[in-house]
Each structure stands twice: as C-alpha cells, then as structure tokens.
Amino acid sequence: MVAYRRRYYENKRLLFICKYIVDVIMVITAAYVLVSFIALRNTNVGNSMNPTLKDNDTVLINRFAYSITGPKRFDVIAFKVDGVNSSKIYIKRVIGLPGETVQIKDNKIFINGEEIKEDVVDTAILTAGLANSSLTLDKNEYFVLGDNRNNSEDSRFSSIGTVKSKNIIGKTWFILSPIKRLKFIS
C-alpha cells in the first residue's frame, strides 16, 4: 500500500510538471504566431515622431488593422515609400484622409479650408513644403506628418509624398521596448 501511494504522488507530481511544460510551450507558440503573422516588430529610427516615439523604440505594428477600413485621422501608421526599393519602414501620423484638401499656411494645418484644432501636436510648422499650396488627395492617398513637425521627413517633402493605401503596412499600436516605455500608442 505504501508503494502504491508513493507511486501515485510521483505520478501526480510528474503530471503537474508535464502540464506546466505544455502550458509554457503553448504560450510561447501563441506569442510567436502573434508576432510573426499578425504583428510586425520594427525599430523606430530617428526622432521624427518625438515625443510619441523615440529613437530606437521597438514597436509592434498590427498588419490587419486596416484590412476592412482605412486609417483614421491621427492614427500612427507604418508604411513604405512608393517606388523605393528599400526595406526602410516609416512611421508617421495620419493627418489628411482620401479626398481631402490639405494645406499648411500660417504655420498651421488646414483640412478642406478649416484649421485642425484638435491636433495631437500644437507646434507651429515652419516648413510647409509640398503643402504650401492646396494639395488634394486621391481616393487612396493619405497625408502624414511626424509628431516632431519641424524635424520630420514626411508628406511635405517629395522624397516621401502622399502615402498610398497599398504601401501602408499597418497600425503602429504598442511600444515593446525599452521596458520603461512599454505602453499603447495613442
């Protein structure tokens, strides 16, 4: 009877350890699938999105966020530049939506002739670039700006220009590292 009890407790302990190992493997597998297929991990380069994103922040990009609907105003998106054979991913904030007219005058952003009042950043824009005159977006184009408005290569410049829907990778939604900056992006 004593041997039976000892074997019972040994099997119970072994079963607990096996279940624990299987649970850990399942969590690791789920995290891998999430990061590999649904999300994309990217490191932000530069200070164009300061203070929202800093240089070398690692972010998660939701690849399926815009599979049904397009980006909304003030979403932070990741995209590639049209016609450039580069692996560089840009991260900027959506300001102008398809069909809208964007213009930067008097250091402020105007959409369809009306000044944006609820902008995330209240910095005066010193360089209007391509948006110096009215710029009407096509049905598949977005106008994007960096949060560090006076130190950002964005839709104001011909090297980036307007962002086409087909070049949008997804919505940048979470800062993964450094650990002290771990948070959702708004």
Side-chain angles (χ1 to χ4, degrees):
M1 187 70 165
V2 173
Y4 173 75
R5 276 193 176 158
R6 186 178 331 128
R7 220 173 354 170
Y8 171 76
Y9 286 116
E10 286 173 357
N11 287 341
K12 190 174 176 183
R13 194 173 316 131
L14 183 63
L15 185 61
F16 175 78
I17 292 170
C18 287
K19 283 182 179 181
Y20 182 78
I21 291 171
V22 168
D23 287 345
V24 168
I25 290 172
M26 288 176 60
V27 167
I28 291 171
T29 303
Y32 176 77
V33 167
L34 174 72
V35 172
S36 296
F37 300 107
I38 297 171
L40 175 69
R41 202 178 97 211
N42 188 53
T43 301
N44 185 51
V45 178
N47 291 310
S48 69
M49 282 300 291
N50 253 352
T52 305
L53 295 175
K54 300 199 182 297
D55 189 30
N56 291 323
D57 278 356
T58 301
V59 296
L60 285 179
I61 301 165
N62 182 346
R63 292 189 209 191
F64 296 108
Y66 302 127
S67 57
I68 296 173
T69 62
K72 296 172 184 55
R73 190 177 329 278
F74 304 125
D75 279 359
V76 178
I77 64 168
F79 62 94
K80 291 191 176 200
V81 175
D82 197 23
V84 176
N85 290 332
S86 171
S87 62
K88 183 173 182 180
I89 295 175
Y90 291 86
I91 299 174
K92 305 291 179 200
R93 191 172 297 276
V94 174
I95 300 298
L97 301 172
E100 294 181 334
T101 301
V102 179
Q103 185 176 14
I104 298 174
K105 63 181 178 183
D106 302 325
N107 303 328
K108 296 177 178 85
I109 305 167
F110 290 82
I111 303 289
N112 297 330
E114 304 227 357
E115 181 185 346
I116 291 183
K117 298 283 187 191
E118 69 277 353
D119 194 4
V120 177
V121 179
D122 61 353
T123 306
I125 301 173
L126 302 177
T127 306
L130 296 174
N132 191 34
S133 58
S134 293
L135 179 68
T136 303
L137 303 172
D138 285 341
K139 65 180 179 177
N140 66 342
E141 290 181 327
Y142 294 87
F143 188 86
V144 296
L145 293 174
D147 285 356
N148 188 354
R149 300 283 157 85
N150 295 312
N151 187 21
S152 175
E153 184 181 13
D154 45 42
S155 288
R156 296 175 290 172
F157 303 101
S158 60
S159 57
I160 302 287
T162 57
V163 178
K164 293 184 176 30
S165 300
K166 67 179 183 175
N167 295 332
I168 296 174
I169 297 167
K171 181 176 184 175
T172 306
W173 63 281
F174 192 76
I175 298 175
L176 197 57
S177 75
I179 297 297
K180 64 184 176 188
R181 291 188 34 80
L182 198 72
K183 66 178 180 178
F184 287 98
I185 299 170
S186 57

